Amino acid sequence: MAALQNFNPGTVVEWKLERSPGIPEYIFRYVFWASKPAIDGFVYCRLVISIDGTHIYRKYDIKLLIAIVVDANGQIFPPVFAICANESQETWTLFLNHLKEHVIK
């Protein structure tokens, strides 16, 4: 994510890490990102936003949250993504709040 921010200035990345008692490492809970070109391009899209989540099964059991809009050319445009450890009301609330704060404004 640091490389994404370094090569795309203005890219937004929001992390949520937790620390459990007795464990020195942080535990991943959530990451949200929106690249600067996607944030800038959002203003030219239609006003309907579709959101969805999907399970990713492999080494880690994580969820991918995504928002999709349709651009002025009628093409699918994904402005934001999030990966979370579990799909819950808390992670959806974080996702929608970050979408509103960083993209919709």
Side-chain angles (χ1 to χ4, degrees):
M1 290 299 168
L4 182 66
Q5 288 180 299
N6 185 37
F7 291 106
N8 293 298
T11 295
V12 176
V13 177
E14 297 278 349
W15 291 89
K16 181 177 182 203
L17 305 171
E18 289 182 358
R19 201 164 207 176
S20 295
I23 300 175
E25 294 87 18
Y26 285 97
I27 299 171
F28 169 78
R29 293 293 178 215
Y30 174 89
V31 62
F32 168 93
W33 72 94
S35 67
K36 179 63 172 165
I39 293 169
D40 293 343
F42 181 78
V43 297
Y44 302 106
C45 294
R46 297 183 185 161
L47 298 177
V48 176
I49 302 172
S50 299
I51 58 171
D52 198 11
T54 187
H55 300 276
I56 299 174
Y57 300 108
R58 288 290 176 166
K59 184 176 180 180
Y60 303 105
D61 183 20
I62 57 176
K63 285 44 169 187
L64 173 68
L65 309 179
I66 188 169
I68 299 289
V69 292
V70 177
D71 65 10
N73 200 27
Q75 304 295 312
I76 293 175
F77 185 75
V80 297
F81 303 90
I83 294 176
C84 55
N86 62 350
E87 194 174 2
S88 65
Q89 183 175 353
E90 177 189 6
T91 56
W92 276 111
T93 301
L94 277 170
F95 180 72
L96 294 174
N97 286 340
H98 287 134
L99 176 66
K100 180 182 175 186
E101 178 184 348
H102 299 296
V103 180
I104 297 173
K105 299 181 184 177

